[in-house]
């Protein structure tokens, strides 16, 4: 089944404890992206990647890191999480970078930073 | 940078009536405008999209219009049904794949 998966789905952590949220897609998509969703603010792009070893900042990249060593994986790293990073995170992928095509979203990861 | 404004934030319509959600964008370089629907507790899913070289696109009960001169685009849902109740997001994207979403519209379909 073609899909985007994220792990973990739920995470409660404490300020300053490094964490990684994994994202994987099995559709051989070039483009992958991370978003955070907060009430009243909609979806905001954190980082995106147009291909392996190519990453770019989105609208709200501060406090996050990403890497794209393989086509299928695009992990989101929080080196020192803070309470303002408590949010619902979505990973997404699409077939071709720069193209007018549909993004497929993962199921979401709900992160709470205490 | 790009800014996308979406209105209204909440919309209630009687079942069977039409619903219209409007968005404006600021970056004239934006060339792709998707609309996503997000049901409660679910992930966003694309329902319709439009490119900057097209003025209107329809898919059954859903249509999107784009006015490039005025930098606004709208989602129209006709003959609304209970399953249309959800949050809808518009977005604007440029050639380099940066995408900015509107803040969302919560649509309630009243019985």
């Amino acid at each position: 089944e073609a899909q985007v998966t994220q792990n973990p789905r739920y995470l409660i952590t404490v300020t300053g404890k490094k964490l990684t949220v994994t994202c994987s897609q099995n559709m051989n998509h070039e483009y992958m992206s991370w978003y955070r969703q907060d009430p009243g603010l909609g979806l905001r792009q954190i980082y995106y990647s147009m291909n392996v070893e190519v990453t770019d900042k989105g609208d709200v990249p501060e406090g996050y890191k990403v890497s794209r060593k393989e086509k299928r994986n695009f992990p989101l790293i929080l080196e020192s999480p803070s309470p303002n990073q408590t949010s619902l995170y979505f990973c997404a992928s699409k077939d071709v970078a720069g193209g007018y095509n549909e993004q497929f979203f993962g199921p979401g990861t709900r992160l709470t930073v205490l | 940078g790009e800014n996308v404004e979406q209105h209204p934030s909440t919309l209630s319509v009687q079942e069977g009536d039409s619903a219209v959600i409007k968005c404006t964008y600021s970056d004239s370089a934006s060339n792709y405008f998707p609309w996503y629907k997000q049901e409660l507790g679910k992930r966003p899913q694309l329902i319709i999209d439009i490119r900057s070289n097209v003025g209107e696109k329809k898919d059954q009960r859903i249509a999107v219009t784009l006015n490039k001169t005025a930098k606004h685009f709208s989602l129209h849902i006709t003959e609304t049904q209970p399953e249309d109740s959800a949050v809808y997001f518009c977005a604007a994207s440029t050639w380099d794949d940066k995408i900015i979403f509107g803040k969302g519209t919560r649509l309630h379909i009243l019985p």
Side-chain angles (χ1 to χ4, degrees):
Chain A
E1 182 192 351
Q3 58 182 348
V4 179
T5 56
Q6 295 178 227
N7 282 292
R9 296 287 316 280
Y10 303 90
L11 179 60
I12 301 174
T13 190
V14 295
T15 299
K17 187 176 180 184
K18 181 179 178 180
L19 67 92
T20 299
V21 184
T22 64
C23 174
S24 184
Q25 50 91 6
N26 63 359
M27 296 171 278
N28 201 36
H29 284 174
E30 278 187 359
Y31 175 97
M32 297 184 76
S33 184
W34 275 103
Y35 302 88
R36 60 178 290 172
Q37 184 174 22
D38 302 288
L41 296 179
L43 290 152
R44 292 180 292 167
Q45 191 173 40
I46 303 171
Y47 270 96
Y48 61 102
S49 169
M50 296 172 84
N51 214 326
V52 175
E53 302 291 0
V54 179
T55 61
D56 286 287
K57 294 178 182 177
D59 211 29
V60 288
E62 296 78 18
Y64 303 94
K65 282 175 59 177
V66 292
S67 69
R68 187 93 183 274
K69 293 185 170 57
E70 309 161 281
K71 201 171 189 180
R72 63 182 293 128
N73 296 322
F74 190 44
L76 179 70
I77 303 152
L78 285 72
E79 295 267 3
S80 183
S82 62
N84 64 13
Q85 293 178 298
T86 292
S87 188
L88 177 59
Y89 291 86
F90 286 101
C91 179
S93 71
K94 65 174 182 169
D95 190 10
V96 177
Y100 308 106
N101 43 16
E102 178 179 359
Q103 286 200 51
F104 293 89
F105 283 79
T109 294
R110 188 166 293 283
L111 172 66
T112 301
V113 183
L114 301 174
Chain B
E2 174 69 284
N3 184 46
V4 175
E5 300 279 344
Q6 182 172 347
H7 298 280
S9 56
T10 306
L11 178 61
S12 296
V13 301
Q14 214 67 42
E15 183 178 346
D17 288 351
S18 296
V20 180
I21 301 170
K22 299 183 178 184
C23 289
T24 59
Y25 62 99
S26 59
D27 189 348
S28 55
S30 291
N31 58 7
Y32 176 62
F33 307 91
W35 285 87
Y36 286 84
K37 175 184 180 182
Q38 186 178 29
E39 296 175 356
L40 192 62
K42 301 273 183 72
R43 69 194 80 185
Q45 289 193 294
L46 181 77
I47 54 170
I48 196 166
D49 56 12
I50 192 166
R51 304 182 187 186
S52 59
N53 59 348
V54 175
E56 184 174 356
K57 183 177 177 180
K58 278 188 79 168
D59 183 3
Q60 299 181 359
R61 297 186 297 109
I62 294 172
V64 57
T65 58
L66 171 65
N67 183 327
K68 275 172 47 180
T69 305
K71 295 201 194 76
H72 66 70
F73 56 114
S74 301
L75 177 72
H76 304 252
I77 306 173
T78 58
E79 300 169 19
T80 52
Q81 299 168 4
E83 54 265 35
D84 294 330
S85 291
V87 178
Y88 292 80
F89 294 98
C90 63
S93 177
T94 53
W95 65 272
D96 60 356
D97 273 326
K98 243 186 191 168
I99 185 167
I100 302 292
F101 285 82
K103 290 182 169 51
T105 295
R106 187 171 295 278
L107 176 62
H108 299 277
I109 306 302
L110 306 171

PDB file of all heavy atoms in Angstrom, chain B residues 16-44:
ATOM      1  N   GLY B  16     -27.462  21.138   1.592  1.00  0.00           N
ATOM      2  CA  GLY B  16     -28.050  21.388   0.285  1.00  0.00           C
ATOM      3  C   GLY B  16     -27.706  22.752  -0.285  1.00  0.00           C
ATOM      4  O   GLY B  16     -27.789  22.955  -1.496  1.00  0.00           O
ATOM      5  N   ASP B  17     -27.323  23.687   0.611  1.00  0.00           N
ATOM      6  CA  ASP B  17     -26.908  25.017   0.137  1.00  0.00           C
ATOM      7  C   ASP B  17     -25.451  24.985  -0.316  1.00  0.00           C
ATOM      8  O   ASP B  17     -24.761  23.969  -0.174  1.00  0.00           O
ATOM      9  CB  ASP B  17     -27.084  26.056   1.252  1.00  0.00           C
ATOM     10  CG  ASP B  17     -28.544  26.377   1.505  1.00  0.00           C
ATOM     11  OD1 ASP B  17     -29.409  25.921   0.705  1.00  0.00           O
ATOM     12  OD2 ASP B  17     -28.828  27.068   2.504  1.00  0.00           O
ATOM     13  N   SER B  18     -24.995  26.128  -0.849  1.00  0.00           N
ATOM     14  CA  SER B  18     -23.604  26.236  -1.313  1.00  0.00           C
ATOM     15  C   SER B  18     -22.730  26.880  -0.250  1.00  0.00           C
ATOM     16  O   SER B  18     -23.206  27.660   0.581  1.00  0.00           O
ATOM     17  CB  SER B  18     -23.543  27.070  -2.596  1.00  0.00           C
ATOM     18  OG  SER B  18     -24.226  26.430  -3.639  1.00  0.00           O
ATOM     19  N   ALA B  19     -21.456  26.564  -0.306  1.00  0.00           N
ATOM     20  CA  ALA B  19     -20.465  27.157   0.599  1.00  0.00           C
ATOM     21  C   ALA B  19     -19.331  27.745  -0.243  1.00  0.00           C
ATOM     22  O   ALA B  19     -18.914  27.135  -1.242  1.00  0.00           O
ATOM     23  CB  ALA B  19     -19.904  26.108   1.551  1.00  0.00           C
ATOM     24  N   VAL B  20     -18.873  28.916   0.157  1.00  0.00           N
ATOM     25  CA  VAL B  20     -17.772  29.573  -0.550  1.00  0.00           C
ATOM     26  C   VAL B  20     -16.710  29.989   0.457  1.00  0.00           C
ATOM     27  O   VAL B  20     -17.018  30.622   1.470  1.00  0.00           O
ATOM     28  CB  VAL B  20     -18.243  30.823  -1.326  1.00  0.00           C
ATOM     29  CG1 VAL B  20     -17.064  31.478  -2.038  1.00  0.00           C
ATOM     30  CG2 VAL B  20     -19.344  30.457  -2.305  1.00  0.00           C
ATOM     31  N   ILE B  21     -15.477  29.625   0.176  1.00  0.00           N
ATOM     32  CA  ILE B  21     -14.343  30.007   1.017  1.00  0.00           C
ATOM     33  C   ILE B  21     -13.360  30.777   0.137  1.00  0.00           C
ATOM     34  O   ILE B  21     -13.072  30.353  -0.984  1.00  0.00           O
ATOM     35  CB  ILE B  21     -13.651  28.765   1.610  1.00  0.00           C
ATOM     36  CG1 ILE B  21     -14.651  27.956   2.440  1.00  0.00           C
ATOM     37  CG2 ILE B  21     -12.456  29.172   2.473  1.00  0.00           C
ATOM     38  CD1 ILE B  21     -14.131  26.582   2.873  1.00  0.00           C
ATOM     39  N   LYS B  22     -12.868  31.902   0.673  1.00  0.00           N
ATOM     40  CA  LYS B  22     -12.025  32.782  -0.146  1.00  0.00           C
ATOM     41  C   LYS B  22     -10.625  32.914   0.429  1.00  0.00           C
ATOM     42  O   LYS B  22     -10.442  32.952   1.654  1.00  0.00           O
ATOM     43  CB  LYS B  22     -12.675  34.159  -0.246  1.00  0.00           C
ATOM     44  CG  LYS B  22     -14.041  34.128  -0.905  1.00  0.00           C
ATOM     45  CD  LYS B  22     -14.641  35.501  -1.060  1.00  0.00           C
ATOM     46  CE  LYS B  22     -15.993  35.403  -1.764  1.00  0.00           C
ATOM     47  NZ  LYS B  22     -16.582  36.714  -2.032  1.00  0.00           N
ATOM     48  N   CYS B  23      -9.650  33.004  -0.476  1.00  0.00           N
ATOM     49  CA  CYS B  23      -8.259  33.204  -0.067  1.00  0.00           C
ATOM     50  C   CYS B  23      -7.611  34.266  -0.931  1.00  0.00           C
ATOM     51  O   CYS B  23      -7.940  34.386  -2.115  1.00  0.00           O
ATOM     52  CB  CYS B  23      -7.471  31.890  -0.199  1.00  0.00           C
ATOM     53  SG  CYS B  23      -7.937  30.671   1.038  1.00  0.00           S
ATOM     54  N   THR B  24      -6.721  35.029  -0.311  1.00  0.00           N
ATOM     55  CA  THR B  24      -5.901  35.968  -1.064  1.00  0.00           C
ATOM     56  C   THR B  24      -4.438  35.647  -0.803  1.00  0.00           C
ATOM     57  O   THR B  24      -4.091  35.111   0.260  1.00  0.00           O
ATOM     58  CB  THR B  24      -6.180  37.432  -0.658  1.00  0.00           C
ATOM     59  OG1 THR B  24      -5.899  37.573   0.753  1.00  0.00           O
ATOM     60  CG2 THR B  24      -7.629  37.807  -0.899  1.00  0.00           C
ATOM     61  N   TYR B  25      -3.592  35.949  -1.765  1.00  0.00           N
ATOM     62  CA  TYR B  25      -2.163  35.705  -1.603  1.00  0.00           C
ATOM     63  C   TYR B  25      -1.401  36.956  -1.998  1.00  0.00           C
ATOM     64  O   TYR B  25      -1.934  37.836  -2.667  1.00  0.00           O
ATOM     65  CB  TYR B  25      -1.713  34.487  -2.421  1.00  0.00           C
ATOM     66  CG  TYR B  25      -1.890  34.611  -3.922  1.00  0.00           C
ATOM     67  CD1 TYR B  25      -0.833  34.964  -4.754  1.00  0.00           C
ATOM     68  CD2 TYR B  25      -3.131  34.340  -4.518  1.00  0.00           C
ATOM     69  CE1 TYR B  25      -0.987  35.061  -6.116  1.00  0.00           C
ATOM     70  CE2 TYR B  25      -3.291  34.441  -5.888  1.00  0.00           C
ATOM     71  CZ  TYR B  25      -2.226  34.793  -6.684  1.00  0.00           C
ATOM     72  OH  TYR B  25      -2.380  34.894  -8.049  1.00  0.00           O
ATOM     73  N   SER B  26      -0.143  37.024  -1.569  1.00  0.00           N
ATOM     74  CA  SER B  26       0.604  38.266  -1.775  1.00  0.00           C
ATOM     75  C   SER B  26       1.702  38.146  -2.842  1.00  0.00           C
ATOM     76  O   SER B  26       2.040  39.139  -3.484  1.00  0.00           O
ATOM     77  CB  SER B  26       1.235  38.720  -0.455  1.00  0.00           C
ATOM     78  OG  SER B  26       2.113  37.728   0.046  1.00  0.00           O
ATOM     79  N   ASP B  27       2.245  36.945  -3.038  1.00  0.00           N
ATOM     80  CA  ASP B  27       3.392  36.779  -3.939  1.00  0.00           C
ATOM     81  C   ASP B  27       2.921  36.482  -5.367  1.00  0.00           C
ATOM     82  O   ASP B  27       2.359  35.411  -5.628  1.00  0.00           O
ATOM     83  CB  ASP B  27       4.285  35.639  -3.430  1.00  0.00           C
ATOM     84  CG  ASP B  27       5.604  35.530  -4.178  1.00  0.00           C
ATOM     85  OD1 ASP B  27       5.744  36.185  -5.241  1.00  0.00           O
ATOM     86  OD2 ASP B  27       6.476  34.791  -3.715  1.00  0.00           O
ATOM     87  N   SER B  28       3.150  37.400  -6.267  1.00  0.00           N
ATOM     88  CA  SER B  28       2.694  37.216  -7.647  1.00  0.00           C
ATOM     89  C   SER B  28       3.415  36.059  -8.339  1.00  0.00           C
ATOM     90  O   SER B  28       2.997  35.614  -9.404  1.00  0.00           O
ATOM     91  CB  SER B  28       2.887  38.503  -8.446  1.00  0.00           C
ATOM     92  OG  SER B  28       4.228  38.931  -8.366  1.00  0.00           O
ATOM     93  N   ALA B  29       4.514  35.553  -7.737  1.00  0.00           N
ATOM     94  CA  ALA B  29       5.226  34.403  -8.308  1.00  0.00           C
ATOM     95  C   ALA B  29       4.546  33.077  -7.974  1.00  0.00           C
ATOM     96  O   ALA B  29       4.902  32.039  -8.521  1.00  0.00           O
ATOM     97  CB  ALA B  29       6.666  34.371  -7.802  1.00  0.00           C
ATOM     98  N   SER B  30       3.557  33.091  -7.096  1.00  0.00           N
ATOM     99  CA  SER B  30       2.841  31.854  -6.767  1.00  0.00           C
ATOM    100  C   SER B  30       2.145  31.333  -8.008  1.00  0.00           C
ATOM    101  O   SER B  30       1.522  32.089  -8.760  1.00  0.00           O
ATOM    102  CB  SER B  30       1.809  32.103  -5.660  1.00  0.00           C
ATOM    103  OG  SER B  30       2.458  32.376  -4.440  1.00  0.00           O
ATOM    104  N   ASN B  31       2.278  30.030  -8.242  1.00  0.00           N
ATOM    105  CA  ASN B  31       1.743  29.485  -9.495  1.00  0.00           C
ATOM    106  C   ASN B  31       0.905  28.228  -9.310  1.00  0.00           C
ATOM    107  O   ASN B  31       0.458  27.617 -10.281  1.00  0.00           O
ATOM    108  CB  ASN B  31       2.887  29.221 -10.474  1.00  0.00           C
ATOM    109  CG  ASN B  31       3.927  28.267  -9.904  1.00  0.00           C
ATOM    110  OD1 ASN B  31       3.745  27.703  -8.829  1.00  0.00           O
ATOM    111  ND2 ASN B  31       5.018  28.080 -10.621  1.00  0.00           N
ATOM    112  N   TYR B  32       0.711  27.804  -8.083  1.00  0.00           N
ATOM    113  CA  TYR B  32      -0.046  26.577  -7.833  1.00  0.00           C
ATOM    114  C   TYR B  32      -0.839  26.761  -6.555  1.00  0.00           C
ATOM    115  O   TYR B  32      -0.288  27.203  -5.540  1.00  0.00           O
ATOM    116  CB  TYR B  32       0.917  25.399  -7.725  1.00  0.00           C
ATOM    117  CG  TYR B  32       0.278  24.086  -7.368  1.00  0.00           C
ATOM    118  CD1 TYR B  32      -0.669  23.492  -8.200  1.00  0.00           C
ATOM    119  CD2 TYR B  32       0.629  23.424  -6.203  1.00  0.00           C
ATOM    120  CE1 TYR B  32      -1.249  22.286  -7.873  1.00  0.00           C
ATOM    121  CE2 TYR B  32       0.067  22.214  -5.865  1.00  0.00           C
ATOM    122  CZ  TYR B  32      -0.878  21.644  -6.703  1.00  0.00           C
ATOM    123  OH  TYR B  32      -1.456  20.449  -6.382  1.00  0.00           O
ATOM    124  N   PHE B  33      -2.151  26.423  -6.625  1.00  0.00           N
ATOM    125  CA  PHE B  33      -3.051  26.734  -5.519  1.00  0.00           C
ATOM    126  C   PHE B  33      -3.900  25.502  -5.183  1.00  0.00           C
ATOM    127  O   PHE B  33      -4.968  25.283  -5.757  1.00  0.00           O
ATOM    128  CB  PHE B  33      -3.945  27.923  -5.895  1.00  0.00           C
ATOM    129  CG  PHE B  33      -3.150  29.110  -6.355  1.00  0.00           C
ATOM    130  CD1 PHE B  33      -2.848  29.282  -7.694  1.00  0.00           C
ATOM    131  CD2 PHE B  33      -2.683  30.049  -5.442  1.00  0.00           C
ATOM    132  CE1 PHE B  33      -2.083  30.369  -8.127  1.00  0.00           C
ATOM    133  CE2 PHE B  33      -1.936  31.139  -5.854  1.00  0.00           C
ATOM    134  CZ  PHE B  33      -1.631  31.297  -7.195  1.00  0.00           C
ATOM    135  N   PRO B  34      -3.446  24.700  -4.238  1.00  0.00           N
ATOM    136  CA  PRO B  34      -4.232  23.524  -3.841  1.00  0.00           C
ATOM    137  C   PRO B  34      -5.181  23.834  -2.693  1.00  0.00           C
ATOM    138  O   PRO B  34      -4.961  24.774  -1.918  1.00  0.00           O
ATOM    139  CB  PRO B  34      -3.143  22.543  -3.389  1.00  0.00           C
ATOM    140  CG  PRO B  34      -2.037  23.411  -2.868  1.00  0.00           C
ATOM    141  CD  PRO B  34      -2.098  24.711  -3.648  1.00  0.00           C
ATOM    142  N   TRP B  35      -6.220  23.012  -2.588  1.00  0.00           N
ATOM    143  CA  TRP B  35      -7.141  23.070  -1.454  1.00  0.00           C
ATOM    144  C   TRP B  35      -7.137  21.706  -0.771  1.00  0.00           C
ATOM    145  O   TRP B  35      -7.238  20.668  -1.435  1.00  0.00           O
ATOM    146  CB  TRP B  35      -8.561  23.389  -1.920  1.00  0.00           C
ATOM    147  CG  TRP B  35      -8.765  24.818  -2.312  1.00  0.00           C
ATOM    148  CD1 TRP B  35      -8.543  25.372  -3.534  1.00  0.00           C
ATOM    149  CD2 TRP B  35      -9.238  25.871  -1.467  1.00  0.00           C
ATOM    150  NE1 TRP B  35      -8.850  26.714  -3.501  1.00  0.00           N
ATOM    151  CE2 TRP B  35      -9.282  27.042  -2.257  1.00  0.00           C
ATOM    152  CE3 TRP B  35      -9.647  25.953  -0.131  1.00  0.00           C
ATOM    153  CZ2 TRP B  35      -9.712  28.281  -1.754  1.00  0.00           C
ATOM    154  CZ3 TRP B  35     -10.076  27.178   0.364  1.00  0.00           C
ATOM    155  CH2 TRP B  35     -10.105  28.323  -0.443  1.00  0.00           C
ATOM    156  N   TYR B  36      -7.025  21.738   0.564  1.00  0.00           N
ATOM    157  CA  TYR B  36      -7.006  20.501   1.333  1.00  0.00           C
ATOM    158  C   TYR B  36      -8.188  20.463   2.291  1.00  0.00           C
ATOM    159  O   TYR B  36      -8.599  21.485   2.844  1.00  0.00           O
ATOM    160  CB  TYR B  36      -5.696  20.380   2.130  1.00  0.00           C
ATOM    161  CG  TYR B  36      -4.503  20.042   1.278  1.00  0.00           C
ATOM    162  CD1 TYR B  36      -3.799  21.035   0.614  1.00  0.00           C
ATOM    163  CD2 TYR B  36      -4.081  18.726   1.134  1.00  0.00           C
ATOM    164  CE1 TYR B  36      -2.702  20.721  -0.188  1.00  0.00           C
ATOM    165  CE2 TYR B  36      -2.987  18.404   0.342  1.00  0.00           C
ATOM    166  CZ  TYR B  36      -2.311  19.403  -0.305  1.00  0.00           C
ATOM    167  OH  TYR B  36      -1.230  19.092  -1.095  1.00  0.00           O
ATOM    168  N   LYS B  37      -8.686  19.253   2.507  1.00  0.00           N
ATOM    169  CA  LYS B  37      -9.770  19.025   3.465  1.00  0.00           C
ATOM    170  C   LYS B  37      -9.218  18.181   4.596  1.00  0.00           C
ATOM    171  O   LYS B  37      -8.510  17.186   4.352  1.00  0.00           O
ATOM    172  CB  LYS B  37     -10.914  18.281   2.772  1.00  0.00           C
ATOM    173  CG  LYS B  37     -12.062  17.861   3.671  1.00  0.00           C
ATOM    174  CD  LYS B  37     -13.075  17.047   2.875  1.00  0.00           C
ATOM    175  CE  LYS B  37     -14.249  16.601   3.740  1.00  0.00           C
ATOM    176  NZ  LYS B  37     -15.223  15.775   2.979  1.00  0.00           N
ATOM    177  N   GLN B  38      -9.505  18.593   5.829  1.00  0.00           N
ATOM    178  CA  GLN B  38      -9.038  17.816   6.967  1.00  0.00           C
ATOM    179  C   GLN B  38     -10.222  17.501   7.880  1.00  0.00           C
ATOM    180  O   GLN B  38     -10.778  18.388   8.524  1.00  0.00           O
ATOM    181  CB  GLN B  38      -7.960  18.579   7.748  1.00  0.00           C
ATOM    182  CG  GLN B  38      -7.328  17.757   8.863  1.00  0.00           C
ATOM    183  CD  GLN B  38      -6.234  18.503   9.597  1.00  0.00           C
ATOM    184  OE1 GLN B  38      -6.247  19.724   9.689  1.00  0.00           O
ATOM    185  NE2 GLN B  38      -5.254  17.781  10.127  1.00  0.00           N
ATOM    186  N   GLU B  39     -10.582  16.250   7.938  1.00  0.00           N
ATOM    187  CA  GLU B  39     -11.632  15.814   8.854  1.00  0.00           C
ATOM    188  C   GLU B  39     -11.039  15.669  10.250  1.00  0.00           C
ATOM    189  O   GLU B  39      -9.821  15.545  10.414  1.00  0.00           O
ATOM    190  CB  GLU B  39     -12.251  14.516   8.353  1.00  0.00           C
ATOM    191  CG  GLU B  39     -12.945  14.699   7.011  1.00  0.00           C
ATOM    192  CD  GLU B  39     -13.477  13.405   6.425  1.00  0.00           C
ATOM    193  OE1 GLU B  39     -13.255  12.339   7.014  1.00  0.00           O
ATOM    194  OE2 GLU B  39     -14.118  13.478   5.374  1.00  0.00           O
ATOM    195  N   LEU B  40     -11.903  15.677  11.235  1.00  0.00           N
ATOM    196  CA  LEU B  40     -11.470  15.674  12.628  1.00  0.00           C
ATOM    197  C   LEU B  40     -10.558  14.494  12.925  1.00  0.00           C
ATOM    198  O   LEU B  40     -10.920  13.335  12.677  1.00  0.00           O
ATOM    199  CB  LEU B  40     -12.698  15.646  13.541  1.00  0.00           C
ATOM    200  CG  LEU B  40     -12.440  15.933  15.014  1.00  0.00           C
ATOM    201  CD1 LEU B  40     -11.879  17.323  15.205  1.00  0.00           C
ATOM    202  CD2 LEU B  40     -13.725  15.767  15.820  1.00  0.00           C
ATOM    203  N   GLY B  41      -9.368  14.769  13.409  1.00  0.00           N
ATOM    204  CA  GLY B  41      -8.433  13.713  13.785  1.00  0.00           C
ATOM    205  C   GLY B  41      -7.735  13.022  12.624  1.00  0.00           C
ATOM    206  O   GLY B  41      -7.030  12.036  12.822  1.00  0.00           O
ATOM    207  N   LYS B  42      -7.932  13.558  11.432  1.00  0.00           N
ATOM    208  CA  LYS B  42      -7.336  12.917  10.257  1.00  0.00           C
ATOM    209  C   LYS B  42      -6.260  13.813   9.626  1.00  0.00           C
ATOM    210  O   LYS B  42      -6.077  14.964  10.022  1.00  0.00           O
ATOM    211  CB  LYS B  42      -8.441  12.638   9.212  1.00  0.00           C
ATOM    212  CG  LYS B  42      -9.563  11.749   9.711  1.00  0.00           C
ATOM    213  CD  LYS B  42      -9.227  10.301   9.526  1.00  0.00           C
ATOM    214  CE  LYS B  42     -10.348   9.374   9.942  1.00  0.00           C
ATOM    215  NZ  LYS B  42     -11.482   9.412   8.989  1.00  0.00           N
ATOM    216  N   ARG B  43      -5.600  13.281   8.637  1.00  0.00           N
ATOM    217  CA  ARG B  43      -4.589  14.056   7.926  1.00  0.00           C
ATOM    218  C   ARG B  43      -5.238  14.890   6.829  1.00  0.00           C
ATOM    219  O   ARG B  43      -6.306  14.550   6.335  1.00  0.00           O
ATOM    220  CB  ARG B  43      -3.558  13.095   7.308  1.00  0.00           C
ATOM    221  CG  ARG B  43      -4.095  12.246   6.175  1.00  0.00           C
ATOM    222  CD  ARG B  43      -3.168  11.089   5.834  1.00  0.00           C
ATOM    223  NE  ARG B  43      -3.312   9.971   6.751  1.00  0.00           N
ATOM    224  CZ  ARG B  43      -2.545   8.881   6.735  1.00  0.00           C
ATOM    225  NH1 ARG B  43      -1.576   8.765   5.853  1.00  0.00           N
ATOM    226  NH2 ARG B  43      -2.738   7.903   7.592  1.00  0.00           N
ATOM    227  N   PRO B  44      -4.604  15.984   6.392  1.00  0.00           N
ATOM    228  CA  PRO B  44      -5.132  16.761   5.269  1.00  0.00           C
ATOM    229  C   PRO B  44      -5.088  15.936   3.987  1.00  0.00           C
ATOM    230  O   PRO B  44      -4.155  15.170   3.765  1.00  0.00           O
ATOM    231  CB  PRO B  44      -4.176  17.958   5.171  1.00  0.00           C
ATOM    232  CG  PRO B  44      -3.490  18.014   6.492  1.00  0.00           C
ATOM    233  CD  PRO B  44      -3.406  16.605   6.977  1.00  0.00           C
TER     234      PRO B  44
END
